[in-house]
Each structure stands twice: as C-alpha cells, then as structure tokens.
Amino acid sequence: MTIHHDKLAYGRLAKLNEDMTDGQLADMLKILNGEEQYILALDQGTTSTRAIVFDRRGNTLARAQQEFPQIYPKPGWVEHSPQDIMGSTVAVIGEALVRANLTAQDIAAIGITNQRETTLVWDKRTGKTVYNAIVWQCRRTAEFCKELIQEGFKEKIYNKTGLVPDAYFSATKIKWILDNVDGARARAERGELAFGTVDTYLLWQLSKGKIFATDYTNASRTMLFNIHTLKWDEELLRLFDIPASMLPEVHPSSHLYGCTDARLFGSPIPVCGVVGDQQAALFGQLCTKKGDVKNTYGTGCFLLMNTGDKAVKSRNGLVTTLGATADGKPCFVLEGSVFVGGAVVQWLRDEMKIISSSEESEEQALKVEDSGGVYVVPALTGLGAPYWDASARGTITGITRGTTRAHIIRAALEGIAYEVCDLVQAMEKDSGIKISRLAVDGGACKNDFLMRFQSDVLNCATVRPEIAETTALGAAYLAGLNAGYWSGLDEIEKNFEVERTFTPSMEEGERLRLLDGWREAVKKAML
Ligand code: ADP
C-alpha cells in the first residue's frame, strides 16, 4: 500500500458516517487491508484492440494491444472478422492483467469504449454472427443513402437522430445484411437475430449471452435512435425494414451492465461503463460542462462540443449526437469530423516517402520560417464537415521554384490545423458559443509545431493533458464512477493535469491573411 493510498483512505474514513455507500465502504476496507483495486478499460478500435489498467490517480499500470486485419472484399467495402474482434478483446484483457500482475478479482470494473457505428448481426441462440462486422468506413450502402435524400427523408432523419443520412451510420448496414444474407430476413422476423454495434456484441460475448444492451452514445450513431425521446424510433425501423426484436436495451454510459462470464478471466468482472470512442475522449478530457470542446488528432480529426441539455441544430454540416455523463441522463454533443487528419502525415511517410517517421514532420516543419505560400489541402478522400464534398481531392497550391520538401511538410501539418479551424468556426456559428480553450488528444497532438500553429490560427489556447489515453480514461472513469471506485467528478477532476498549454501569439493581420489563403486553396480542391 502506498502512502498516497493511506492518505486517501484516512481522508475518506473521516467521512465514513456521512455519505459512503456500502460499495464504497467495502472498497475502503480493501484499501486498508492493502488490497487495492483497479479499473480496466477496453478500447476496441478500428485497427487494434487495447486494454489498459488504471489506478485511482488515472495512472496506467499496464497495457496490452493487438492489431487485427482489415478486410476489403471490394473497393470501398470494409469488414472485420467478429472472431478477431472478440479474440483480440479476450487476449488483451488477459495480457494486461498478467502484465499488471493482477487477477480478475483485483479489477473493480471494466469500462468498454469502441469504434462506433460498425454493425454486427448474430443468432440469439448460438451467438454466431450471420456476416462479418461491417465497418463504419464501408461505403456499400452509399447509393441507398443518396436515394433516401432524393426521396426527401433528410430532414426527418436529422430531426429524429441528429444525423445526416450516410452509409457511415449503422441503419443501412443492418438493412444490407438482412437483404443480402441468405435467410437472414426470415430469421430476423422470427425474432431469432440480434443487432449490435461493437459494444453490444462484446457485452453479449463476454457475458455468454446474458447481456443484450448498448449505451446512449452508441445508440445515437445507429440512425435508428431518437435522441430527443431516448427511444428506438418505430417510424425509422419501418423505413429501414428492421424488426424491433433485433435491438438491444439502451442504458446510460455509466451503468452496471452485468458481469463477464467467470470462465473467461477466472472470476466474473462487473462491466460498469460503455461509451463510443469519441464521446469517451470527451469525457476523459473532462469536457463535462456546456461549451467544453475537445479535438482528437488521429487518422481523422473529431471535434466534439458538449452542448449540455440542449440539442443544437446544425446549419453548417455538423451532426448532433449524445454524450456520456456521470449521472443517468446523456448530454447533447455537436460533432464535426474530417476524414484525413494525421493520415496526411502517414501519406507523406508511406507514399511520398519524404519523411521516415511521423515525428520527423515536426523537425522538417521547423526548418523553414513559414510554408512559403504553399497550402496542402488533405482532401485525400473528399472533404467532410463543413464542406461535404465527396469528389474533392487532395491539393497542393502555391508551389514555386524555391519550394522545398520542408515547405510541403510544414504546409501539410498546417493543413490539418486549418481543417480543424473550419470545424471550430462551424461549431461556433451553430452553437453561438465562442471557443476559448481547445482540449487536444490523439497521436498527432504530440506534435508541438502543429499544436502551436493550431493555437495561432484559431486564436485560442490548445491544452494537452498529461494523460494522453483520454479515450480509455473516459471509459475507465465512467465505469469507476458507477462502481463507486471514484466518489464523483470532483475526485477525478483532481487527477487532471495539463502537460502543456499552447497560447496564440500570431499577429491578427497575419492570421487572417493565412486563413484567406486556405479558403482559396480549398476552392481549388473542390473544383
Ligand atoms: P488512430 O487512433 O486514428 O489510429 P492515433 O491517435 O494513434 O490514430 O494517431 C495516429 C495518427 O497520428 C497517424 O496518422 C500518424 O501519422 C499521426 N501522428 C503520430 N505522431 C505524429 C507526430 N509526431 N506528428 C504528426 N503526426 C503524427
């Protein structure tokens, strides 16, 4: 037992008779006996599955990660094997426990966070899937979504779900499986099949069929869930021809979902948190108040704003979705995403071969004073919010005889910052809230040059937390709060430490000039 835990224990003991629940009391006694417990976060992502064991301070005790194959049956189609999803999950949980030298009994609760929208359908009796998982990136239902828009369903779908009809979301993927897998529709109509996003599938498998549930944040990405009534929408189920018997129960993100089957990890572990990855990062960044914003710089960029109990209607190409809270009722969130963020750096490394590592991009960018008038628009797969132009393409403008490798690399990093700037401006217009602080995370936020430039062009502070694993941490916090491991938001707020804040230092005239140049470059990318 560490001194820190001693202090914590005695501090809490002093309050014993006041406001402790039985669970917290049991927890306390364990600490006093030297039996500290931990929270395990499972992050089931698009390219890998990770498990991280956290302690009370939010520190990482151990982690394990496993990548798994992407399946591309046709151009634009993306699938995952359900066995890979489940196999990697069990493997990384087991490995993280071993690395931390813990057993299942040392884990107070598991929090699950997951790639969103990805769709699975399985037999309720056997648990066997009828088809591979159709991944969020898969475009196979794009035509059908276009038809929905042409037939005038855009407004109705947006008003109920907060989403723009797109192949990205689960509804049309479920319909595709029912329409294309032999016998699936008849079985679904007989009530034999279940649908789930990845969280639901994992809950089912980890509990050997005892839990059939999802949380509000994942449900809000299916395009079947009414985010205002917090219920599956019967009219949309009819529109997509999906039997209601296929759908899981929906609970808050911080909730006791049930326990993992004892045979998996030696003894049962309670699952007390379920949350979609972007909403998990929002919570992990402690963006729990109205107006709080975070941006994740991963392969793509995801900007999310907590708008509290008010659903903000977007006129600028953003979607409205549900966020996780410490209590039962979900909050509303405004979300904007760009498809290619950090991925443009990967492209410079793997295809252009002008850097040998992502980190080298910073070193190169700092070799020049500015981009020398060069703009890189990273529209490699079209432009997302706020432009929504699927036919736009990556563009480099302003090249002169004096342009060097360093200028192009710098312009590519700046391009990521401009994309986020466009999202922030759309969000400010929609919400009427001026963003004064941007919480950042994801792989590319480690790039100091990018963060400084981001702060300059946004004219607002960017804040990088000490604990970089905000997605896993968010899931851990939601689970630990439900399990009584943490007493409330106050306690976890004490864990939050800023690693570095970048404050703007660019002259306003220069900032506006650069943004004008960016707008011109975007126009060219959309020609
Ligand atoms: P994801 O979860 O989407 O797979 P990550 O959050 O792990 O992504 O971030 C990986 C992305 O960040 C990659 O596209 C990589 O090129 C980029 N990246 C990582 N480190 C840096 C860096 N120092 N500078 C710029 N980009 C980086």
Side-chain angles (χ1 to χ4, degrees):
M1 182 163 58
T2 63
I3 291 171
H4 168 74
H5 288 136
D6 264 341
K7 272 197 195 152
L8 200 74
Y10 287 116
R12 285 228 195 137
L13 258 189
K15 289 177 75 188
L16 237 177
N17 294 325
E18 285 173 36
D19 53 10
M20 272 198 171
T21 63
D22 287 352
Q24 287 170 327
L25 189 53
D27 207 22
M28 191 86 296
L29 291 173
K30 275 193 172 148
I31 296 174
L32 289 175
N33 291 330
E35 296 170 40
E36 172 58 320
Q37 281 199 307
Y38 301 89
I39 301 289
L40 187 141
L42 175 80
D43 180 357
Q44 203 302 303
T46 310
T47 57
S48 75
T49 307
R50 287 188 281 193
I52 303 184
V53 181
F54 289 103
D55 70 8
R56 273 170 212 279
R57 296 276 299 132
N59 294 320
T60 298
L61 212 71
R63 76 180 77 216
Q65 178 165 4
Q66 214 175 75
E67 288 194 10
F68 54 84
Q70 307 292 308
I71 304 168
Y72 303 110
K74 289 185 188 182
W77 290 32
V78 192
E79 298 177 2
H80 290 157
S81 145
Q83 287 75 28
D84 286 345
I85 291 177
M86 186 53 193
S88 60
T89 293
V90 174
V92 294
I93 293 178
E95 200 180 320
L97 289 176
V98 169
R99 287 195 179 167
N101 200 16
L102 299 174
T103 68
Q105 283 169 336
D106 300 316
I107 301 300
I110 291 183
I112 297 177
T113 179
N114 56 290
Q115 52 168 320
R116 304 176 301 172
E117 298 108 10
T118 296
T119 297
L120 296 108
V121 174
W122 63 91
D123 187 302
K124 288 182 184 170
R125 210 164 30 84
T126 63
K128 267 181 78 173
T129 45
V130 303
Y131 192 78
N132 271 343
I134 303 185
V135 179
W136 57 274
Q137 294 155 319
C138 186
R139 305 301 305 164
R140 79 184 65 194
T141 54
E143 268 311 305
F144 177 65
C145 289
K146 251 195 216 158
E147 283 166 28
L148 281 175
I149 293 173
Q150 279 158 7
E151 286 164 24
F153 285 105
K154 187 172 173 183
E155 199 63 18
K156 182 177 281 276
I157 290 175
Y158 181 78
N159 287 340
K160 285 173 183 275
T161 67
L163 306 174
V164 183
D166 193 274
Y168 202 78
F169 307 108
S170 315
T172 61
K173 299 180 195 292
I174 308 173
K175 179 172 161 52
W176 187 94
I177 292 176
L178 297 186
D179 289 344
N180 289 278
V181 175
D182 254 1
R185 181 162 296 284
R187 286 164 76 191
E189 271 157 19
R190 288 198 298 269
E192 293 169 14
L193 298 185
F195 149 73
T197 38
V198 169
D199 54 309
T200 306
Y201 181 66
L202 288 178
L203 285 170
W204 180 287
Q205 293 292 337
L206 289 170
S207 67
K208 302 265 184 233
K210 289 209 180 68
I211 311 173
F212 185 35
T214 188
D215 84 303
Y216 290 125
T217 66
N218 276 293
S220 72
R221 311 295 295 183
T222 59
M223 215 159 78
L224 295 172
F225 195 69
N226 188 316
I227 59 172
H228 307 285
T229 62
L230 300 182
K231 294 207 159 50
W232 296 114
D233 191 274
E234 284 178 20
E235 196 182 357
L236 292 179
L237 288 174
R238 274 197 303 277
L239 175 67
F240 294 107
D241 216 357
I242 296 170
S245 61
M246 293 182 77
L247 302 173
E249 286 177 15
V250 191
H251 297 294
S253 297
S254 190
H255 171 84
L256 174 60
Y257 282 80
C259 286
T260 61
D261 188 88
R263 285 163 288 181
L264 283 171
F265 308 111
S267 50
I269 311 176
V271 181
C272 297
V274 171
V275 58
D277 55 8
Q278 295 308 322
Q279 288 95 328
L282 190 69
F283 197 80
Q285 288 272 19
L286 297 179
C287 292
T288 54
K289 289 186 280 303
K290 187 176 168 181
D292 288 348
V293 187
K294 73 91 197 172
N295 187 57
T296 300
Y297 298 80
T299 308
C301 289
F302 292 89
L303 184 75
L304 272 74
M305 177 191 269
N306 184 335
T307 63
D309 54 9
K310 187 165 161 259
V312 173
K313 204 166 175 164
S314 177
R315 298 185 193 290
N316 294 285
L318 307 176
V319 300
T320 309
T321 195
L322 295 176
T325 59
D327 51 37
K329 203 163 178 291
C331 61
F332 287 101
V333 168
L334 207 51
E335 173 171 331
S337 48
V338 296
F339 306 134
V340 174
V344 73
V345 178
Q346 266 168 321
W347 175 76
L348 291 177
R349 186 192 62 193
D350 302 340
E351 264 69 44
M352 292 296 101
K353 303 197 191 304
I354 57 173
I355 44 174
S356 53
S357 67
S358 299
E359 292 75 27
E360 199 200 332
S361 62
E362 176 161 9
E363 198 184 308
Q364 290 294 332
L366 292 172
K367 283 193 174 158
V368 284
E369 263 179 26
D370 54 36
S371 71
V374 175
Y375 285 91
V376 173
V377 184
L380 309 184
T381 58
L383 281 169
Y387 305 102
W388 292 109
D389 183 349
S391 59
R393 284 297 170 263
T395 303
I396 306 182
T397 67
I399 301 174
T400 63
R401 184 64 185 81
T403 299
T404 64
R405 177 164 82 108
H407 287 117
I408 304 249
I409 294 165
R410 182 172 175 127
L413 290 174
E414 292 181 355
I416 303 174
Y418 289 127
E419 289 184 305
V420 173
C421 213
D422 286 339
L423 288 181
V424 166
Q425 282 170 355
M427 207 163 261
E428 287 183 335
K429 273 193 218 152
D430 280 342
S431 66
I433 297 173
K434 174 92 187 80
I435 296 169
S436 56
R437 174 191 188 275
L438 180 68
V440 300
D441 52 46
C445 91
K446 285 179 277 183
N447 190 312
D448 288 353
F449 164 76
L450 174 60
M451 291 304 105
R452 203 173 308 116
F453 189 77
Q454 184 72 85
S455 155
D456 278 344
V457 287
L458 275 179
N459 195 21
C460 101
T462 55
V463 182
R464 192 165 63 193
E466 190 67 55
I467 300 169
E469 301 279 5
T470 48
T471 306
L473 192 60
Y477 279 158
L478 288 160
L481 284 167
N482 178 265
Y485 184 78
W486 286 292
S487 57
L489 278 178
D490 287 354
E491 191 182 349
I492 56 180
E493 273 165 11
K494 291 195 190 112
N495 287 346
F496 191 86
E497 278 177 40
V498 172
E499 187 259 328
R500 189 157 171 195
T501 300
F502 297 84
T503 46
S505 62
M506 189 179 275
E507 199 242 316
E508 185 65 3
E510 171 72 352
R511 187 174 87 87
L512 296 176
R513 191 183 63 75
L514 289 176
L515 286 171
D516 278 349
W518 166 253
R519 262 172 233 121
E520 287 307 309
V522 169
K523 275 188 210 154
K524 288 174 189 148
M526 295 201 294
L527 281 180

